[in-house]
Amino acid sequence: MLSATPSIVTSGTLGTGPAPETEVVGSGALKDNCALEGGDNPTGTIAFTLYSPSDTVVDSESVTCDGNGDYSSPNGYVPTAPGTYQWQISYSGDANNNPVTTPLGSVPVTVSKAQPGLTTAATPSTEVVGSGTLKDIATLSGGFNPTGTMTFSLESPSGTIVDTETVTVTGDGDYSTPDGVVPTAVGTYQWSADYSGDANNYFQYTATGEEPVVVSPKAQPGLTTAATPSTEVVGSGTLKDIATLSGGNNPTGTMTFSLESPSGTIVDTETVTVTGDGDYSTPDGYVPTAPGTYQWVDSYSGDANNYFQYSPSGSEP
């Protein structure tokens, strides 16, 4: 005849209950602890069985019982889906002790979705109107095999959405706008990024105002010119020209010098590369073959950051 019916305690002084009672999906392992009390020198085994939120067994572990005392699941289980898991603990019994099992539902463990981190970077953070393309990069981290989508939205200085682009998420990592948009107005644009979340990961987003992009107008550089010399004898020295570019926004492009003869025909055209504000001159020049008034005309090509500029005919006789 069996002499004792032990009890399984999952909380209190001896049993420490589930460890932990809450967890994030894909994070730490779910384990269970208990205390066997009131047995008559109990032997046999203690089994820890974990049921998933769908009531399927996802983990089953047994330890040898060697008397009353504390026992723990040796390995545990890393949850792969959020929801409420349930531990059930069973003592096998032996010649002197009856078997005993805790009721299902007495040891719940709540597993929540992962809360991924989301950081963003506008590329570039400054631009010239009508020039380069505004794009955005979002970095997702700390998710549990995240899927879903990342949506990028660009708000214009007037507060209207001028670009929306969506890409597929296939894990933690960097995601960027596939196309971007060329700004058409001066002012501060704002990127925002939204991660849709999925069954295992919470929705995440960046707030408007975290990614400003300042779009400035093109520069209108100044252009001054000086014919060198301003007088010459026919068939003698070489006519040359100097152009000074100032106030540009890192200007590039070209400077073209054209010389108009007294009869109104172009007798010399020379082009040099522009590499910033400064002085530019005709590399060769022209030796006049007829007397009269010649006219230099200079034109700066402009570029993405600077407007076209020129000196009108008649300003350099």
Side-chain angles (χ1 to χ4, degrees):
M1 181 177 178
L2 298 177
S3 61
T5 299
S7 61
I8 297 174
V9 180
T10 58
S11 62
T13 305
L14 294 177
T16 56
E21 295 179 355
T22 61
E23 189 54 87
V24 175
V25 64
S27 186
L30 305 184
K31 291 191 174 187
D32 198 19
N33 306 311
C34 74
L36 190 65
E37 297 179 343
D40 180 10
N41 297 314
T43 58
T45 58
I46 295 178
F48 299 87
T49 303
L50 181 64
Y51 290 83
S52 73
S54 61
D55 292 331
T56 58
V57 175
V58 292
D59 187 46
S60 183
E61 306 178 42
S62 294
V63 293
T64 299
C65 180
D66 185 22
N68 294 318
D70 292 339
Y71 295 92
S72 299
S73 53
N75 299 315
Y77 174 80
V78 178
T80 58
T84 300
Y85 290 71
Q86 301 282 352
W87 282 109
Q88 189 172 48
I89 306 169
S90 299
Y91 167 57
S92 65
D94 60 15
N96 297 321
N97 297 274
N98 288 315
V100 62
T101 300
T102 61
L104 188 62
S106 61
V107 191
V109 184
T110 301
V111 176
S112 63
K113 289 184 177 184
Q115 180 68 70
L118 181 62
T119 58
T120 52
T123 56
S125 58
T126 61
E127 190 52 88
V128 174
V129 65
S131 184
T133 302
L134 306 185
K135 291 195 171 189
D136 196 24
I137 296 175
T139 300
L140 198 63
S141 61
F144 178 62
N145 300 320
T147 58
T149 57
M150 188 76 71
T151 300
F152 301 89
S153 299
L154 181 63
E155 184 179 295
S156 73
S158 64
T160 58
I161 300 299
V162 293
D163 187 46
T164 299
E165 303 181 44
T166 299
V167 295
T168 300
V169 170
T170 56
D172 286 342
D174 293 338
Y175 297 90
S176 62
T177 46
D179 300 317
V181 65
V182 177
T184 58
V186 173
T188 300
Y189 289 71
Q190 301 281 354
W191 280 110
S192 61
D194 296 342
Y195 166 56
S196 66
D198 59 18
N200 293 325
N201 297 272
Y202 284 114
F203 167 82
Q204 185 62 281
Y205 71 99
T206 60
T208 299
E210 293 181 15
E211 294 187 84
V213 184
V214 178
V215 175
S216 60
K218 280 189 176 184
Q220 180 67 69
L223 180 63
T224 58
T225 56
T228 56
S230 58
T231 60
E232 188 53 85
V233 175
V234 65
S236 182
T238 301
L239 306 184
K240 291 195 171 188
D241 195 23
I242 297 175
T244 301
L245 198 63
S246 61
N249 180 11
N250 299 314
T252 58
T254 57
M255 186 76 71
T256 299
F257 303 87
S258 297
L259 182 62
E260 185 180 293
S261 72
S263 64
T265 59
I266 301 298
V267 294
D268 185 46
T269 299
E270 304 181 43
T271 299
V272 295
T273 300
V274 170
T275 56
D277 287 341
D279 293 338
Y280 297 90
S281 63
T282 48
D284 300 318
Y286 177 79
V287 177
T289 58
T293 299
Y294 290 73
Q295 300 281 353
W296 282 110
V297 176
D298 302 342
S299 61
Y300 165 57
S301 66
D303 60 16
N305 298 326
N306 299 272
Y307 284 112
F308 167 83
Q309 186 60 283
Y310 72 102
S311 66
S313 178
S315 61
E316 294 187 84

